[in-house]
Amino acid sequence: MTVSESNDGGRPFRRGDSPNGRGSDRPRRDGEAGRPRRAADDRRSSGERRPTGDRDRRPGEYRGSENRGAPRRGGEGRFGPRGQGDDRRGGDRAQRQDARPDEPDLPDDVQPSDLEGAVRRDLLSLDKRNAETVARHLVMAGRLIEDDPRLALAHARAARQRAGRIAVVRETAGITAYHAGEWAEALSELRAARRMAGGPGLLAVMADAERGLGRPERAIELGRSDEAAKLTGDEATELRIVVAGARMDLGQFDQAVVTLQTPELDPARTGSGAARLFYAYADALVAAGRVEDGLEWFLNSAAADLDGETDAEERVAELTGEQP
């Protein structure tokens, strides 16, 4: 799933999606738009360090980490291996089935069948009524994550309270927390999901959350980990973008440029992933004082950005002094 896709059905997010969508910028906060921000300008002027992700975050986004890098909404595939059971201790069961006062309301038109079948199968270890309620909360988390990430997180938390031993539920909670700017909660939930499901996915989202907590060194460490070495394709690119952002947080602009130098920097490429990578590279080049080179790569990003996800054209206008 990519962060930009909507989840009017199917699963709440897709593994490898970066909940963000932005390139070298940090994850978005509530209500923020989904185009890359000027990470270097923002962080240096305000002193605030937020992760690079997406839509300041339209994993992530920077967007998807499988391209799954960061929860986007929608998409096919599954979050991960089937979870291992849930609390099903007799006297507790009725309470888990009934609506709880701290849970957000579920619209009548939201049905368990709105959730992708692969994810519903992960819930089979639950009591049927509880599984249906969990599924409906997951559907709502996916529907709301872009427009109302705080309410999406309330639904994800409700699902976690009911089915906290299922990997896909914990992953959804982590990705939603990331979108809502709850970096510590996002890390906790994603670590739990990884313990249950295994695999090297979601590292980009976790690294970006470390940046959100003001710990760019830890983001860089994740980028050097053995698990990071197992990533390929968009997942590897998303992690590079986040690590480069962490380098920029530390004022290591030349290192950020080197981090992003990869065979994927091919101007002939188009699409979301290419546009975000080119944008991040351009941003790092400008921060390193290589303005002409940065301008060239902002132009490449604008040409690759078929869906208008970045503000590369505006950055070109700024650097050239021309009106967009």
Side-chain angles (χ1 to χ4, degrees):
M1 163 194 86
T2 58
V3 180
S4 60
E5 301 171 28
S6 70
N7 187 20
D8 298 332
R11 62 197 222 157
F13 317 102
R14 126 175 141 188
R15 202 181 243 277
D17 287 340
S18 128
N20 268 4
R22 281 187 207 241
S24 64
D25 208 3
R26 331 174 253 224
R28 74 175 178 183
R29 297 202 185 251
D30 293 350
E32 290 181 318
R35 301 193 304 183
R37 294 173 58 90
R38 302 160 180 75
D41 293 346
D42 249 3
R43 287 191 286 272
R44 280 180 290 189
S45 62
S46 68
E48 178 190 8
R49 290 180 181 176
R50 291 190 297 166
T52 70
D54 171 358
R55 305 167 266 225
D56 228 337
R57 228 154 80 25
R58 207 177 173 16
E61 168 162 63
Y62 95 90
R63 294 191 198 218
S65 82
E66 268 175 3
N67 198 29
R68 179 197 148 71
R72 304 188 215 181
R73 299 177 295 170
E76 21 345 285
R78 45 183 297 168
F79 262 84
R82 176 165 171 167
Q84 292 127 8
D86 186 34
D87 291 335
R88 300 182 69 179
R89 304 178 180 109
D92 205 30
R93 185 178 300 173
Q95 179 184 4
R96 295 175 68 82
Q97 292 170 346
D98 298 332
R100 301 173 186 176
D102 58 338
E103 292 184 352
D105 292 337
L106 288 165
D108 292 339
D109 64 339
V110 175
Q111 299 299 322
S113 57
D114 295 334
L115 192 65
E116 183 184 314
V119 180
R120 291 203 309 274
R121 287 193 291 275
D122 285 347
L123 307 180
L124 288 176
S125 58
L126 303 175
D127 175 271
K128 181 181 178 182
R129 287 177 57 193
N130 190 40
E132 290 176 348
T133 301
V134 170
R136 294 173 69 199
H137 280 301
L138 293 179
V139 170
M140 288 303 298
R143 287 185 179 181
L144 294 167
I145 194 168
E146 297 297 334
D147 300 327
D148 193 345
R150 300 304 307 184
L151 183 54
L153 181 55
H155 282 285
R157 285 170 173 168
R160 181 197 61 204
Q161 289 170 0
R162 290 172 169 272
R165 296 184 183 180
I166 294 180
V168 67
V169 174
R170 302 299 290 270
E171 184 171 321
T172 301
I175 292 174
T176 312
Y178 173 85
H179 275 272
E182 296 290 345
W183 319 126
E185 182 176 354
L187 277 171
S188 176
E189 294 300 323
L190 292 175
R191 285 170 180 156
R194 286 163 59 79
R195 285 194 299 270
M196 295 174 181
L202 296 175
L203 279 182
V205 182
M206 294 173 67
D208 222 14
E210 293 285 10
R211 291 189 63 210
L213 291 169
R215 302 188 303 220
E217 297 89 349
R218 294 193 183 183
I220 294 169
E221 288 175 8
L222 281 173
R224 292 171 172 164
S225 67
D226 291 340
E227 289 182 315
K230 300 175 184 176
L231 296 177
T232 59
D234 289 335
E235 287 188 320
T237 298
E238 294 295 346
L239 184 56
R240 281 181 180 272
I241 289 172
V242 175
V243 171
R247 292 289 187 188
M248 292 175 72
D249 290 343
L250 296 170
Q252 299 172 356
F253 304 122
D254 290 331
Q255 291 93 323
V257 170
V258 172
T259 297
L260 293 166
Q261 289 175 341
T262 165
E264 298 301 311
L265 280 173
D266 177 358
R269 296 178 59 218
T270 59
S272 175
R276 290 196 311 278
L277 175 61
F278 300 167
Y279 186 104
Y281 189 52
D283 207 25
L285 287 166
V286 171
R290 298 169 56 181
V291 177
E292 290 301 319
D293 291 337
L295 176 59
E296 177 184 352
W297 281 98
F298 275 127
L299 288 168
N300 290 337
S301 177
D305 189 2
L306 305 179
D307 297 322
E309 297 173 357
T310 73
D311 63 353
E313 291 184 355
E314 287 88 341
R315 295 298 302 278
V316 169
E318 286 181 0
L319 292 171
T320 60
E322 300 176 356
Q323 293 296 320

